[in-house]
Structures are given as structure tokens and as C-alpha cells.
Amino acid sequence: LSLFFLMIRRPPRSTLFPYTTLFRSTKPKHCLMENPAADLFLHAPARQRRKLRWPPPAAVQVRWVTRSKPWLFLLCLTPLLLALWDVYSHQLAADPIKDLTLRSGRWGLRLLWVTLAITPLCYITKLRSLVRVRRMLGLFAWFYASLHFGIYLVLDQGLAWQFIGADISKRPYIAVGATTFTILSSLALTSTQAWVRRLGGKNWQCLHRLVYVAGITTSLHFFWLVKSDITRPMVYTLILATLFLVRILHHRARRQR
């Protein structure tokens, strides 16, 4: 954690646009913005900035999103640190394995939903540079899903494959969860630029559309896991349906144009 705090320097005192004062840049002042529109947006007086249209120039968006990544990384890592602290301080539930399994599964689901929400947020806010954090959020969703599946295999079942097979046959939601983990693993492994070049842009996009299938199977997994109170699974499913609806409406609007 100290390494990440060392990456962040004390912000300079400035009267520029608020998010230009978050961090101090190591580049000279004349190299901060090569885009004239961005330079105008940042250095204009307050009265003129109010008249400038939203969204900010692309260079400003990129600078803001890039410098927010360390904070977002720490925020995504916080659930793991809290879980480790609870393990160390013996503050888990009566069934610690079940508690850790449910925690990791919930955070994997939440981060997957946040990843799916990035593109609708780009449509609504017109901040296209938010796409730059989508890969990191998706990898954290896969990371917590890996913890969820690993805790089940190692701590719960003890890598006893015969019992695991029998458990899958008795409880189908485990098979659905394993399918979701397989999809997320394939997406995580092919998320680099090298795989984009190997597969080609169109094939890579077709492969990564499986994230929608992963969202649906995650909802089914959560529904089958909960036996009595389905309030939480219903809320998460409604959120997922809303995200899908925003995408559909946006694509229809683009076709009508």
C-alpha cells in the first residue's frame, strides 16, 4: 500500500479546473496539454469555463481517468483487505468458509455489474475515457470470482473431485457458477493487446460479448443459491436488465440516425 501512496504526489495549488489539481505532473507545463481545446478548457477563467460545453476535451478526460486509476485500484482491493483483517482478528461468521465464499462471490458479482455499467455511463455522461478503467474492473471481477471458486474447491471440498462431481450433480447452480468462471477466465486471459492482434478486432469483440452471458449466468447462480429470500437476487437482476436496456436503446437510436 505504501508503494501506491508513493505514486501519488502532493497536488499543487492551482486555480485551474478541479480535477487538474488532483496530482502533480512530472512533465513541463508546456507539455501538459498538446490539445488546444483542452488547454483552453483548463486555463480559461471561471466565467468562460461555465460557458464551455460538456463533455470536456478528450485529453482532459484521459488525464483525469489515468490519474484516478491508483485510487480505483485501492478501492477494488479494499474488500480483500477487509476479509484478511477479519480472518486475522477472528471476526468471521460461525461458518468461516461459507462467509468467505459468500463475500468473494458478492464482490465478484458487484464488480462485474460495475464493469457492465461502464459503457452505459459513457453513453449517458459522454465521458468516453471511462472505457480506460473497464479492463481493470473486469480483471478484479475475475479475481474475486477466482477466490470464490478457489475457496469452494480447496477449503470447502478439499480438492476431492469425486465429492465435487457429486455436489455439482445435486446442486445445478454450482455448474452454472463454474460456467461463469470459465467465461470470465477466457475474457481475462484474452484482455491484452497481444490477444487483440492475434484474434483480430472483430473476433475479439465477438468473444468479449460473452460478458453478457456471464452476467445472465451469474444472476441465475445467485437465484439458485438463495433459497428463501430472493430480494437481493431480484435487485441485482433488475440492475442488470436496466444496463442491457440502456445498451439496446442506444443502439436503436444510432440506427435511426
Side-chain angles (χ1 to χ4, degrees):
L1 291 177
S2 60
L3 292 176
F4 286 102
F5 284 109
L6 288 175
M7 294 169 58
I8 303 166
R9 300 188 178 186
R10 185 178 179 181
R13 294 182 179 180
S14 176
T15 58
L16 303 181
F17 201 70
Y19 47 70
T20 64
T21 62
L22 289 176
F23 303 92
R24 185 188 297 275
S25 177
T26 56
K27 296 182 179 181
K29 292 184 178 180
H30 65 276
C31 296
L32 290 180
M33 287 298 167
E34 299 178 356
N35 190 341
D39 187 71
L40 174 64
F41 187 82
L42 292 175
H43 295 81
R47 294 181 180 178
Q48 295 182 8
R49 282 204 306 269
R50 293 172 185 173
K51 297 180 181 179
L52 295 175
R53 294 182 178 180
W54 184 267
V60 177
Q61 297 181 34
V62 170
R63 185 181 179 189
W64 177 52
V65 172
T66 302
R67 294 184 173 185
S68 301
K69 276 188 175 182
W71 296 105
L72 185 60
F73 187 93
L74 289 176
L75 185 63
C76 293
L77 203 61
T78 301
L80 176 63
L81 298 177
L82 293 176
L84 292 176
W85 174 255
D86 289 342
V87 171
Y88 175 76
S89 58
H90 304 285
Q91 294 182 2
L92 296 175
D95 190 350
I97 296 177
K98 182 179 179 180
D99 189 10
L100 291 175
T101 305
L102 292 177
R103 282 192 186 189
S104 57
R106 288 195 198 105
W107 279 108
L109 184 149
R110 290 166 184 168
L111 286 170
L112 180 60
W113 262 230
V114 173
T115 305
L116 291 171
I118 291 296
T119 302
L121 281 176
C122 291
Y123 297 154
I124 296 171
T125 63
K126 298 181 181 179
L127 296 174
R128 302 295 181 182
S129 296
L130 290 175
V131 178
R132 291 174 173 263
V133 301
R134 185 172 57 187
R135 178 176 180 268
M136 184 174 68
L137 292 171
L139 289 176
F140 265 109
W142 170 74
F143 171 69
Y144 283 104
S146 302
L147 289 178
H148 179 69
F149 196 54
I151 291 171
Y152 167 75
L153 292 178
V154 179
L155 298 181
D156 193 5
Q157 299 295 327
L159 293 178
W161 300 108
Q162 295 180 353
F163 294 104
I164 292 173
D167 199 17
I168 290 175
S169 62
K170 290 180 181 178
R171 296 184 285 185
Y173 68 87
I174 299 178
V176 176
T179 303
T180 306
F181 177 70
T182 304
I183 294 173
L184 293 178
S185 299
S186 64
L187 299 182
L189 292 175
T190 58
S191 63
T192 60
Q193 292 294 329
W195 276 102
V196 176
R197 291 191 294 269
R198 289 178 186 176
L199 298 176
K202 292 183 179 180
N203 295 330
W204 186 85
Q205 287 181 355
C206 291
L207 175 64
H208 278 254
R209 284 171 184 164
L210 290 175
V211 68
Y212 307 132
V213 180
I216 295 171
T217 54
T218 303
S219 297
L220 290 175
H221 177 72
F222 199 14
F223 261 109
W224 284 351
L225 177 65
V226 178
K227 297 179 180 179
S228 57
D229 188 9
I230 61 171
T231 303
R232 281 189 177 181
M234 185 65 70
V235 170
Y236 283 111
T237 304
L238 289 176
I239 294 173
L240 182 65
T242 304
L243 296 176
F244 287 169
L245 181 61
V246 172
R247 288 173 178 268
I248 293 171
L249 293 177
H250 177 77
H251 286 299
R252 285 187 177 179
R254 289 183 63 182
R255 287 182 180 180
Q256 290 178 359
R257 292 175 188 174

